Structures are given as structure tokens and as C-alpha cells.
Amino acid sequence: MEKMYLNMHPENPEGRKIEHVVEALKKGEIIIYPTDSVYAFGCDINNKAAIEKMAKLKGLKPNKAKFSIICEDMSQVSNYVKPIDRSVFKVMNKAFPGPYTFILNASTNVPKLFDNKSKDIGVRIPNHNISIEIVKALG
């Protein structure tokens, strides 16, 4: 595993650097990236080997690990959670983007991604351009 450090402008991250990060994520690498609250570990949720690496890094068994998903916007959140009621949606809409993680009922997509029987998932929409640009570029 190659280690590197990329310094990015927090308000306007450079596209070529974001693409470099996305290439590493697609290869199953783990990244440490800034959010609006703390630095976080991240991986591509569509890469099973990367999820296993992340669990190992945290000292967890992959099928027991509880991870959060960083999303670009509320429409992306809906891909990973069961339908939420209007009052919860209103609270999330006021809180996001921001330094909050909501633990919600997971959709059927989540157990397939994480190879576990998780009934809930943490979702975040950080108020940090680097985080959001990585998610956008990764798709």
C-alpha cells in the first residue's frame, strides 16, 4: 500500500487531486480525509475488500462492523435507508449539511454492501467541500 499526503484547498479542492483520491478508493485503498467535525477513515462502499480492510483497521469483524455512509445530498441518503417520516426528514434537512450522523433503518441495499445483517446505518452529509467532492467524483 502506497502512502501519500495530498494538500487540498478546503473551499475549492483541485479536481486532479480529487481524481487521484478516487482512483485510490477504486483500487480498495483506505483514506483519511477531513470532514466538518474531525478527520475520518474512508473507503469505497462498493469494494468488499476495502470494507474488510476498514473493519480490520478498526479491530472489528467485517460482518459485525457498524459503518456510516457519507452522502452528497438527501436523495443519495434515500438509497441506503428505508422511507423516513416527514418529521425526521425535516430535522435532517435542517441539520444537513453539518457535523451530524443520523442512525436510520437501513434499506435492503446495506446488508448487501456490508455483508452483514445490519438493520440500521449511520448517514452523514458533511459541510466540507473535500468530503463532498470525493463522494461526487466516486459516484
Side-chain angles (χ1 to χ4, degrees):
M1 176 176 14
E2 178 185 327
K3 293 177 174 86
M4 82 175 69
Y5 174 80
L6 292 175
N7 188 18
M8 289 187 212
H9 191 281
E11 298 300 317
N12 191 17
E14 301 88 332
R16 66 179 173 74
K17 290 182 180 178
I18 293 291
E19 284 304 317
H20 196 72
V21 171
V22 169
E23 286 174 26
L25 288 167
K26 287 181 178 178
K27 290 178 184 174
E29 299 296 337
I30 305 296
I31 64 168
I32 300 172
Y33 63 100
T35 71
D36 47 2
S37 55
V38 296
Y39 281 83
F41 289 103
C43 71
D44 179 355
I45 62 170
N46 295 307
N47 186 317
K48 187 174 177 163
I51 292 171
E52 289 171 357
K53 262 194 227 180
M54 179 80 78
K56 185 176 179 180
L57 180 69
K58 295 179 111 189
L60 303 169
K61 292 182 180 181
N63 64 344
K64 301 281 186 195
K66 300 255 184 186
F67 294 118
S68 294
I69 298 174
I70 300 293
C71 296
E72 177 183 347
D73 55 30
M74 288 295 287
S75 65
Q76 195 174 50
V77 168
S78 68
N79 294 330
Y80 303 105
V81 301
K82 289 183 178 177
I84 54 178
D85 69 41
R86 187 172 167 82
S87 61
V88 173
F89 179 83
K90 283 183 175 182
V91 171
M92 290 174 69
N93 219 27
K94 285 183 181 179
F96 287 149
Y100 305 100
T101 300
F102 283 80
I103 310 299
L104 301 169
N105 293 322
S107 73
T108 56
N109 293 336
V110 173
K112 293 174 195 166
L113 291 171
F114 296 119
D115 199 24
N116 65 24
K117 295 181 175 142
S118 181
K119 294 186 190 318
D120 51 49
I121 188 72
V123 293
R124 285 200 65 199
I125 303 174
N127 188 16
H128 197 286
N129 287 345
I130 292 174
S131 305
I132 295 299
E133 290 302 318
I134 291 169
V135 171
K136 282 181 187 177
L138 187 59

